[in-house]
Amino acid sequence: MRQSYKKSHWYAIDCLAAIPYDFLSAIIGYHTLFRFPKMIRAIQIPGMISRLQKNLLDCMDVAMNEAQVSSLAMFLCSFLIIVWSSAGWNAIRQNENAYESVYWAFTTLTTVGYGDLTPINFPQTCYALFVGAIGATFSAAIIANVTSFFHDVEISEENVDHKLNCTK
């Protein structure tokens, strides 16, 4: 099992994420961007979800349908986007704590923000616009995905309801 793990692409990503960048930041100086290699592990999310599906089916005889898989992926992506956005906000605003950064990221991604934490200079304004655009796009994707859950209609020649609607 160890040899197959070392040959997989998971091993390279995990090795990059396991490097102790805290020691490097002690020498060079702290910077939030040293956390970026740890965030690369997000590439593994689709593979983890498919392995979870396979293991649930093999071990417990539980099958996940497409709606459950999509919901899990949307939740994980939402969580990661909030974390990454707050890390970026914390990187450009050194005087804020993590709670304020997560609060700013959540309100900016889900709405247009409340206005209590605002950008002060041009780079912060550009970053806030970028995060707001990502939030609007991601919200539209979530709404489209949820709508598709409720709109699973079989449109085929065998579907009697579809035939009746087409002949009206």
Side-chain angles (χ1 to χ4, degrees):
M1 181 153 73
R2 185 183 316 165
Q3 294 302 324
S4 64
Y5 173 65
K6 284 185 177 181
K7 292 177 184 176
S8 70
H9 70 279
W10 300 86
Y11 181 72
I13 294 171
D14 287 340
C15 284
L16 183 64
I19 295 173
Y21 293 100
D22 297 334
F23 294 123
L24 184 62
S25 66
I27 297 168
I28 298 173
Y30 177 76
H31 201 279
T32 307
L33 293 178
F34 284 136
R35 295 181 188 169
F36 181 73
K38 295 187 185 305
M39 290 190 258
I40 291 176
R41 296 180 89 182
I43 296 169
Q44 298 173 330
I45 289 176
M48 288 179 188
I49 292 174
S50 65
R51 282 193 336 202
L52 174 66
Q53 270 185 292
K54 182 183 176 303
N55 290 338
L56 282 174
L57 188 60
D58 292 346
C59 299
M60 301 177 143
D61 204 25
V62 174
M64 290 177 69
N65 61 22
E66 187 178 328
Q68 291 169 329
V69 171
S70 294
S71 298
L72 180 61
M74 283 189 304
F75 171 75
L76 292 174
C77 288
S78 300
F79 181 76
L80 283 175
I81 288 174
I82 290 171
V83 169
W84 287 353
S85 299
S86 66
W89 187 251
N90 196 3
I92 61 175
R93 290 184 56 132
Q94 298 292 330
N95 57 345
E96 286 189 358
N97 62 25
Y99 297 117
E100 290 174 339
S101 296
V102 170
Y103 166 76
W104 175 87
F106 185 77
T107 58
T108 303
L109 286 166
T110 57
T111 61
V112 291
Y114 291 126
D116 51 350
L117 297 174
T118 58
I120 297 170
N121 55 27
F122 183 71
Q124 292 176 7
T125 303
C126 289
Y127 185 74
L129 287 171
F130 176 72
V131 170
I134 297 263
T137 304
F138 196 70
S139 295
I142 288 175
I143 291 169
N145 210 349
V146 169
T147 303
S148 73
F149 292 155
F150 295 109
H151 192 35
D152 285 340
V153 178
E154 181 185 341
I155 299 177
S156 66
E157 293 180 10
E158 290 84 29
N159 189 340
V160 177
D161 291 332
H162 178 67
K163 282 183 179 179
L164 290 175
N165 285 334
C166 290
T167 57
K168 287 184 183 179

